[in-house]
Amino acid sequence: MHFETLQSISVNGTPTRANDDRCGSTAQLAWVIDGATDLAPSGLLGKQGGAAWLASNANTAFNTVLAGNIQDTCQSVFHWIEERFESQKTRDVVAAWEVPKAAFGVAQLTDNGLSVAWAADCPILRMSGGDALWCTGEPDTSAEAEDARALGDGVGAARALSGAVLEDRRAHRGQEGHAALSPNAQAAAAITRYAHHDIGVGDELLLMSDGFASLVTDYQRYTAKELAAAVRSDGLAMLAHEIRRIENEDSACLRFPRFKVSDDATAIWLKIAG
């Protein structure tokens, strides 16, 4: 079996800002990466922001590395990223929150089926006939929405994180065991989750960043099964447009509490071929 790419899309949340999401696939491996919003000006890694640096390097690593099982693939990627971080950083890290972080989801085809690995909120949906199954567990962003609500009405409407909101996000990012990919190979391995699923020729996968999965999580526009049907009937571009319409209608971030009006939104839609 091998992957065939049907569609992919990646749109930045703000037209003037870089997109810190990445996605890609090879015959046996597919991935999506969501670089966490930088909480400090660039400098640790030169002029490039940490989120963009991590997303780009993780994307290159997944494009380069393929081991016999997903655990070994991920371990090789984690070490690859760590080595480049140590060689490319321009100074020592002075605060835990300035270390670049990212959510990710990866799927690997094996002789025995489909293996997946993930950290944080990049879900993977398997679509088989009329059924839809979360391969990475049902996504849940309610904790972040509650955090945003607790900091005051409409905090996400601000153009940039600042003041108490910025300090809150720094404290959250700096927590020990924060569940996200980082340039620390040991820490990345400790928070990565794995699962294995049966899969057959003709089945499809949808790998998403949380900005795209918001149609199910934050905005509750679709169930998993309904999202699968919408992907097949309307395609990824139409769904991305729907995300932006919902967000623009709630640009004050009052109906849907969040930390930014629009997030980067990325998805890759694959089919299993024999």
Side-chain angles (χ1 to χ4, degrees), residues 41 105 140 151 215 244:
D140 181 6
L151 288 167
L215 284 167
R244 293 296 181 252

Side-chain angles (χ1 to χ4, degrees), residues 39 97 144 147-148 151 161 164-174 259:
L39 300 179
W97 48 260
E144 182 167 324
D147 288 346
L151 288 167
L161 298 177
V165 177
L166 177 60
E167 291 305 312
D168 177 84
R169 291 297 86 192
R170 285 177 171 178
H172 180 266
R173 182 82 53 86
F259 285 102

Side-chain angles (χ1 to χ4, degrees), residues 8-9 14-15 21 24 26 29 36 48 72 75-76 105 120 127 136 138-139 144 146 172 180-181 191-192 209 250 259:
S8 64
I9 192 167
T14 304
D21 286 358
T26 63
L29 198 69
Q48 187 175 32
D72 289 345
Q75 286 289 344
S76 296
M127 304 182 292
T136 48
E138 187 168 356
E144 182 167 324
E146 287 300 319
H172 180 266
L181 176 64
I191 54 82
T192 299
S209 68
D250 182 44
F259 285 102

Side-chain angles (χ1 to χ4, degrees), residues 59-245:
N59 185 64
T60 300
F62 281 120
N63 237 319
T64 305
V65 173
L66 180 65
N69 60 72
I70 198 164
Q71 288 88 350
D72 289 345
T73 295
C74 286
Q75 286 289 344
S76 296
V77 167
F78 299 157
H79 286 289
W80 197 97
I81 293 170
E82 181 178 64
E83 290 170 1
R84 276 148 188 80
F85 179 75
E86 292 301 322
S87 67
Q88 294 179 22
K89 67 181 181 180
T90 60
R91 58 171 173 79
D92 291 336
V93 173
V94 297
W97 48 260
E98 70 174 350
V99 175
K101 297 286 186 74
F104 80 97
V106 58
Q108 182 171 341
L109 286 173
T110 71
D111 293 338
N112 299 318
L114 179 77
S115 294
V116 296
W118 73 98
D121 45 13
C122 282
I124 299 174
L125 185 66
R126 188 191 79 185
M127 304 182 292
S128 180
D131 294 329
L133 168 72
W134 294 111
C135 296
T136 48
E138 187 168 356
D140 181 6
T141 58
S142 60
E144 182 167 324
E146 287 300 319
D147 288 346
R149 183 180 289 109
L151 288 167
D153 292 339
V155 295
R159 300 189 70 175
L161 298 177
S162 62
V165 177
L166 177 60
E167 291 305 312
D168 177 84
R169 291 297 86 192
R170 285 177 171 178
H172 180 266
R173 182 82 53 86
Q175 290 176 346
E176 186 176 352
H178 180 257
L181 176 64
S182 75
N184 183 317
Q186 184 176 0
I191 54 82
T192 299
R193 302 172 65 185
Y194 298 94
H196 189 81
H197 301 274
D198 293 331
I199 200 160
V201 172
D203 288 349
E204 298 161 62
L205 291 182
L206 184 67
L207 289 78
M208 297 164 276
S209 68
D210 66 334
F212 195 94
S214 62
L215 284 167
V216 175
T217 55
D218 301 75
Y219 311 138
Q220 298 179 3
R221 175 66 179 84
Y222 299 101
T223 65
K225 190 173 182 178
E226 290 167 346
L227 179 63
V231 167
R232 288 166 171 158
S233 64
D234 300 330
L236 301 183
M238 287 296 293
L239 290 170
H241 178 76
E242 185 171 11
I243 293 168
R244 293 296 181 252
R245 178 185 59 77

